[in-house]
Amino acid sequence: MEAHQHSPDSSSEECTVLEAPPGKNTCPQHGKVADLFCSACESALCEDCGSDHDDHPKVSLSEALEQHRSRLQERLGAVQGRLPQISDALSFVKEILQQLTNQRASIEEDIQSSFEDLHKQLDVRKSVLLMELEVTYGLKQKVLQSQIDSLIRGEGDITTTCTQTEEALAGEACVANLQVERKLEERLKELAGLRLPCQPEENDQLDLVMETDGLRKSVHNLGTIVTTSAVASQSEAMGGGLEQCIVGHPASVTIVTRDKSGGACKSGNAILSAEVFTPDGSIVDGEIVDHKNGTYEFVYTVPKEGNFSLALRLYDQHIKGSPFKLTITRASEAEAEVSPSTTTATNSAANATPSTGSSEGAKRRGKSPGQKKKGSKRASSALGTPRRKTQNPIEDDLIFKIGTKGRNKGEFTNLQGVAASSSGKILIADSNNQCVQVFSNEGEFKSRFGVRGRSPGQLQRPTGVAVHPSGDIIIADYDNKWVSIFTCEGKFKAKLGSGRLMGPKGVSVDQNGHVIVVDNKSCTVFIFQLTGKLINKFGSRGNGDKQFAGPHFAAVNKNNEIIITDFHNHSVKVFTPEGELVLKFGSNGEGNGQFNAPTGVAVDINGNIIVADWGNSRIQVFDGSGSFLSYINTSADPLYGPQGLALTSDGHVVVADSGNHCFKVYRYLQ
């Protein structure tokens, strides 16, 4: 039988349907060319799949592939878009790790230094005790040895004379021996009446009283490593101070710190800052209270109505929801009459520029003290000529002013402390720009230095500045809780007060070259050597004569007495270097010699005391006994919350006009 052979193009039953060769667009079930796509099953369909997917939505395969590619491209873009964020986060976390490592090294250095100092103190005390032992023993031994020598001599004389007498008596009694025997008799008579120190003239007591239990306990508890696990991304704020607030009335915000998992932190000491920004860009002051249980309270007072922003930062990062939008409204006139407000805000951990805490304070700002009936207008002096071409519309004591709000040279954001050097320089602590700017007495910009950070040599919130006789520049860093020392060229040398200071605000230098530090947060004045050794400290929180409530700045007079502005006690206090009160003057009010929270202070060559009256936005002058003398006339360009103040080497007054983001130089008759 002959085999039947089919040609390739014959139409036999078995070959009526051609199978698609394996390819990219084939049906996975039948292996045939697919031209549709089932959206429900997410699979390609050939002509044999139709009955199984009749009720399913279908689109052309090319359209489905295009849509898939489009979605994939979109997701790729979204994921790639995260790379810069991850890169920034990586850099930031690395920076935090580096700061943590630097802080560890700094603390290790402090521990080594502190214990070396303690070892030295113990060695000194050991030497003193050994010396005291030798001196005491020597005095007692000398008395007893002298007594022994006297007794030995007496015993020897008596023994010798008795032996001679016994020998004479043993011999023959004769006239020839009579003379000798008479002499022996007289000697015996003399020895019989000889007074010898037979009773001890000293005792043998030499005891050591070493009360070591308390010392051991102190050493056992000496030093604490302080930290928290709080992170900004999980921490949150709550309270009425985030909602509607009333002009001039204290508002309160509670901050709850949490760890990375959202768990509430149970300990305090977190580094928290708070700033309320007013519409004109100035910063409202407030007080952060650490409850030591992981929660904090920020109390602030706003001087005017309007829309404001509250920035709450934990370790320099905004917490949840920060910055918050605030609406400040004015209370009814009746309410204002019943309960007039007073200045209640204190300096915050951010150490921002204070604002008035009084609803009337906003009205008072802009008034010149010279325009008040209560004040005696200070006559304009002929000392010096304006160093700027700007003509004052009103004749007053202003010579020139420098600065606007910003971050460039000659611009400021919350300037605080002021110092003047004998070499004709003006130094400004530019707090929120984390730097110090240096100008000539004529207002010409010279230099600036400072890098933001929490490591030695960096500045986090510089608030006070002073110039040491050696030329070194001393800077109080409120947030870093230490005082930094730089050369006159701005190179870092050392830091002091770390571990002791809680919130240094102002610094000064006394006649002995010691550094005076006003710790605003602990309400204490510290006196250090330039080496960092603590000489003395005095003061505590309260309203007593030797207590403070938010002290700000310091000056030293020719008697080496320390003058402190006591912000919330509305007074100025003068102390000896030992911390004894010499003088106190001032009370809360607007009259001559009264204060609404004094800040900057300086002393002229005659001992007169110049004080920046922050809440009343004026500068007052007092004699050395605290009696009011006059105002500096600021009518033409009124101050708004003056802070640091100093006398330049050419005898003018320079003041940090924080609310106006500038410093001003005034004529001053000494």
Side-chain angles (χ1 to χ4, degrees):
M1 183 176 173
E2 202 174 317
H4 182 71
Q5 207 174 21
H6 297 282
S7 70
D9 48 353
S10 68
S11 56
S12 135
E13 179 83 10
E14 294 84 4
C15 297
T16 54
V17 179
L18 293 175
E19 291 188 359
K24 296 179 181 178
N25 296 330
T26 58
C27 169
Q29 184 175 358
H30 302 103
K32 296 181 179 180
V33 174
D35 56 359
L36 293 175
F37 184 82
C38 177
S39 301
C41 301
E42 294 188 345
S43 62
L45 305 178
C46 66
E47 59 184 17
D48 291 345
C49 300
S51 60
D52 296 333
H53 300 270
D54 286 343
D55 298 332
H56 296 176
K58 294 179 284 293
V59 296
S60 69
L61 180 61
S62 60
E63 182 181 350
L65 292 175
E66 183 64 29
Q67 289 177 352
H68 174 71
R69 282 294 180 93
S70 177
R71 288 196 304 271
L72 186 62
Q73 184 66 44
E74 183 179 344
R75 292 187 183 278
L76 174 64
V79 173
Q80 285 179 333
R82 294 196 62 195
L83 289 176
Q85 178 188 4
I86 294 172
S87 177
D88 290 344
L90 182 61
S91 299
F92 188 47
V93 173
K94 284 183 177 179
E95 181 184 350
I96 292 174
L97 177 59
Q98 184 60 50
Q99 289 179 348
L100 178 67
T101 303
N102 293 342
Q103 192 66 4
R104 173 189 172 274
S106 174
I107 291 174
E108 184 177 11
E109 179 185 336
D110 288 342
I111 291 172
Q112 294 285 2
S113 175
S114 297
F115 277 86
E116 284 175 7
D117 186 55
L118 285 174
H119 280 303
K120 289 178 183 178
Q121 294 293 330
L122 287 172
D123 287 340
V124 168
R125 184 57 185 161
K126 174 184 173 183
S127 298
V128 168
L129 282 174
L130 289 173
M131 184 181 297
E132 186 179 339
L133 174 63
E134 286 304 308
V135 170
T136 306
Y137 167 78
L139 292 173
K140 296 172 78 72
Q141 184 266 348
K142 184 177 180 180
V143 172
L144 292 172
Q145 189 60 54
S146 176
Q147 183 178 4
I148 289 171
D149 292 344
S150 296
L151 290 172
I152 289 174
R153 285 195 301 272
E155 182 184 36
D157 290 345
I158 290 174
T159 301
T160 301
T161 303
C162 288
T163 300
Q164 291 174 351
T165 302
E166 288 173 349
E167 289 176 353
L169 290 173
E172 182 180 356
C174 61
V175 175
N177 296 332
L178 186 58
Q179 186 67 24
V180 175
E181 291 177 1
R182 282 180 178 173
K183 287 183 179 181
L184 288 173
E185 183 180 4
E186 289 176 3
R187 181 59 177 158
L188 288 171
K189 183 178 180 181
E190 182 182 332
L191 290 173
L194 180 63
R195 299 184 64 181
L196 293 173
C198 295
Q199 297 300 320
E201 294 180 346
E202 250 299 355
N203 56 59
D204 61 354
Q205 182 182 12
L206 265 182
D207 294 325
L208 173 65
V209 177
M210 187 76 80
E211 296 179 356
T212 58
D213 289 344
L215 180 60
R216 285 195 179 96
K217 185 176 181 181
S218 297
V219 170
H220 180 75
N221 297 319
L222 182 61
T224 303
I225 304 300
V226 176
T227 188
T228 75
S229 56
V231 294
S233 60
Q234 297 291 337
S235 300
E236 53 194 354
M238 60 194 70
L242 293 178
E243 301 169 359
Q244 195 171 38
C245 308
I246 299 175
V247 171
H249 288 242
S252 174
V253 176
T254 299
I255 300 99
V256 179
T257 56
R258 300 185 183 278
D259 61 23
K260 65 179 182 180
S261 302
C265 296
K266 302 298 183 183
S267 62
N269 298 302
I271 299 175
L272 187 71
S273 65
E275 294 175 339
V276 177
F277 293 88
T278 62
D280 62 4
S282 60
I283 302 172
V284 173
D285 190 29
E287 179 182 17
I288 294 179
V289 178
D290 184 351
H291 295 304
K292 302 298 182 182
N293 61 358
T295 67
Y296 304 78
E297 185 177 8
F298 175 55
V299 181
Y300 65 93
T301 306
V302 179
K304 62 179 76 173
E305 55 190 329
N307 296 318
F308 298 78
S309 295
L310 167 61
L312 294 173
R313 294 183 179 90
L314 182 67
Y315 302 107
D316 293 330
Q317 301 167 55
H318 286 284
I319 69 169
K320 279 185 180 179
S322 177
F324 301 91
K325 300 299 181 183
L326 306 178
T327 301
I328 312 299
T329 58
R330 187 171 295 279
S332 65
E333 292 297 324
E335 180 183 347
E337 288 177 10
V338 172
S339 58
S341 59
T342 57
T343 302
T344 56
T346 60
N347 196 51
S348 69
N351 201 42
T353 306
S355 76
T356 181
S358 167
S359 59
E360 294 299 315
K363 298 178 183 177
R364 288 201 304 271
R365 290 194 189 281
K367 281 187 178 182
S368 166
Q371 294 172 322
K372 295 183 179 182
K373 294 182 180 179
K374 296 179 181 179
S376 58
K377 182 176 179 180
R378 180 183 177 85
S380 299
S381 78
L383 287 180
T385 56
R387 293 177 172 83
R388 295 288 173 176
K389 294 181 180 180
T390 305
Q391 184 68 35
N392 293 333
I394 303 174
E395 180 62 27
D396 69 355
D397 292 333
L398 179 65
I399 300 174
F400 65 85
K401 67 176 182 177
I402 300 292
T404 56
K405 187 178 182 183
R407 298 191 177 276
N408 299 316
K409 297 175 182 178
E411 298 177 343
F412 307 99
T413 307
N414 191 22
L415 66 167
Q416 295 272 307
V418 176
S421 72
S422 57
S423 59
K425 299 290 193 302
I426 295 172
L427 294 87
I428 307 293
D430 192 1
S431 182
N432 285 22
N433 286 334
Q434 292 86 25
C435 70
V436 169
Q437 299 199 44
V438 184
F439 300 81
S440 70
N441 279 354
E442 293 73 31
E444 178 186 357
F445 176 83
K446 291 295 183 182
S447 64
R448 68 185 240 173
F449 62 90
V451 177
R452 179 180 181 177
R454 296 188 179 277
S455 300
Q458 297 178 322
L459 301 175
Q460 189 63 23
R461 196 169 295 275
T463 54
V465 60
V467 180
H468 195 271
S470 65
D472 288 339
I473 299 170
I474 301 162
I475 302 171
D477 193 330
Y478 191 94
D479 278 3
N480 276 333
K481 302 179 183 180
W482 63 56
V483 171
S484 295
I485 302 172
F486 292 81
T487 66
C488 56
E489 292 85 19
K491 295 181 180 178
F492 177 72
K493 291 181 68 175
K495 65 183 175 74
L496 57 86
S498 179
R500 288 191 171 99
L501 302 174
M502 295 177 63
K505 169 80 174 180
V507 286
S508 186
V509 180
D510 71 6
Q511 308 286 351
N512 300 316
H514 296 153
V515 179
I516 313 298
V517 183
V518 182
D519 195 324
N520 173 273
K521 207 165 187 179
S522 69
C523 295
T524 305
V525 175
F526 291 82
I527 305 176
F528 294 95
Q529 289 182 350
L530 204 58
T531 59
K533 181 180 179 181
L534 179 65
I535 302 297
N536 189 29
K537 67 175 182 176
F538 59 87
S540 60
R541 185 179 297 276
N543 55 13
D545 287 346
K546 295 183 181 181
Q547 294 181 309
F548 305 105
H552 266 49
F553 293 100
V556 179
N557 65 20
K558 58 187 177 182
N559 298 325
N560 207 35
E561 294 166 338
I562 302 168
I563 304 166
I564 306 293
T565 51
D566 195 355
F567 190 83
H568 290 291
N569 284 330
H570 310 288
S571 61
V572 174
K573 296 174 180 178
V574 183
F575 296 87
T576 67
E578 294 73 36
E580 295 301 318
L581 182 70
V582 176
L583 173 67
K584 171 186 172 183
F585 61 91
S587 60
N588 190 15
E590 300 178 44
N592 296 349
Q594 292 185 308
F595 300 111
N596 186 4
T599 47
V601 61
V603 184
D604 69 18
I605 57 175
N606 299 315
N608 296 321
I609 302 171
I610 309 160
V611 183
D613 188 0
W614 168 79
N616 290 324
S617 288
R618 62 187 181 185
I619 302 172
Q620 300 193 68
V621 184
F622 301 82
D623 66 17
S625 63
S627 297
F628 173 80
L629 294 178
S630 62
Y631 297 108
I632 289 178
N633 189 354
T634 60
S635 304
D637 192 354
L639 298 169
Y640 183 24
Q643 282 274 348
L645 180 148
L647 273 170
T648 64
S649 58
D650 53 357
H652 299 315
V653 169
V654 55
V655 62
D657 190 359
S658 294
N660 290 319
H661 313 292
C662 66
F663 72 87
K664 296 175 178 176
V665 176
Y666 292 93
R667 299 180 185 89
Y668 176 68
L669 283 173
Q670 299 198 42

